[in-house]
Amino acid sequence: MTKADIVSEIAKSTGIEKVQVQVIVEAFMDSIKTSLTNKNNVYLRGFGSFIVKKRAQKVARNISKNTTITIPEHDIPAFKPAKSFAAKVK
């Protein structure tokens, strides 16, 4: 499902115009991105959590050049579904 599909579904179920729904969806996504950029987790009860995880430093190999590089510790965004949501998917 794409963002356009989500906008269409919301517009159909609520009766709001697609243009307005698209603005709302974009604002929602920007809000989540901003929160994660500021290292704040986003919790949506019954759906899940958008969290910032730390990846530890590790040593990786470049097989073609046969060299090793060190990848420093860094943050990555992650999603953890709520138990009720995960149970429905199962």
Side-chain angles (χ1 to χ4, degrees):
M1 183 174 240
T2 64
K3 185 172 27 173
D5 295 336
I6 292 170
V7 169
S8 295
E9 285 289 322
I10 294 172
K12 191 186 333 175
S13 65
T14 61
I16 301 172
E17 293 182 25
K18 284 185 180 182
V19 176
Q20 291 175 325
V21 173
Q22 185 170 2
V23 169
I24 293 168
V25 169
E26 290 286 340
F28 174 74
M29 290 171 39
D30 286 341
S31 176
I32 291 174
K33 288 179 197 176
T34 302
S35 292
L36 293 178
T37 302
N38 295 331
K39 298 189 181 185
N40 296 324
N41 296 334
V42 178
Y43 303 103
L44 302 173
R45 190 174 302 258
F47 184 70
S49 304
F50 294 94
I51 58 176
V52 178
K53 281 187 170 182
K54 277 215 179 290
R55 281 267 170 100
Q57 177 178 324
K58 64 180 179 180
V59 177
R61 283 186 18 133
N62 182 344
I63 321 173
S64 62
K65 295 181 181 178
N66 199 21
T67 58
T68 60
I69 59 171
T70 301
I71 300 173
E73 181 181 88
H74 59 282
D75 295 328
I76 60 163
F79 177 73
K80 182 180 178 186
K83 289 182 182 180
S84 60
F85 177 53
K88 283 185 179 182
V89 172
K90 285 183 182 179

